[in-house]
Amino acid sequence: MTIYTVMPLEAVLDGLHGEPAPSQEVWVNGIFMQVQPVAPGMGKIVRLLQCSLDDYLKPELAPGNFVMFGQPPEQ
């Protein structure tokens, strides 16, 4: 693999061999996603695992956004 970048190699490869952050898979409003827990009942979205194609276009479901989980589904 070849990477063309102006960034120093140390910055590109930083964390490559580090321990991955803990994550868990949760259902939030009918969408199955992988999140990194940041507080009890709150997590940062890593990726969507099971959802409709339209859900990928919703900005609130983009990776890096925070969601609440472990609560009753909204009605």
Side-chain angles (χ1 to χ4, degrees):
M1 179 168 92
T2 304
I3 299 176
Y4 296 100
T5 181
V6 296
M7 293 177 58
L9 184 59
E10 295 80 26
V12 174
L13 299 178
D14 185 39
L16 180 66
H17 298 294
E19 186 71 25
S23 65
Q24 65 187 80
E25 298 172 352
V26 296
W27 285 96
V28 177
N29 297 330
I31 299 170
F32 193 52
M33 61 181 71
Q34 182 180 11
V35 298
Q36 288 179 345
V38 294
M42 184 177 187
K44 184 168 68 168
I45 299 174
V46 175
R47 63 183 173 156
L48 303 180
L49 299 172
Q50 186 177 353
C51 62
S52 69
L53 294 177
D54 293 337
D55 292 329
Y56 288 103
L57 299 175
K58 296 180 181 176
E60 64 270 15
L61 296 175
N65 286 339
F66 295 93
V67 293
M68 301 295 288
F69 59 89
Q71 58 193 16
E74 295 178 6
Q75 302 218 6

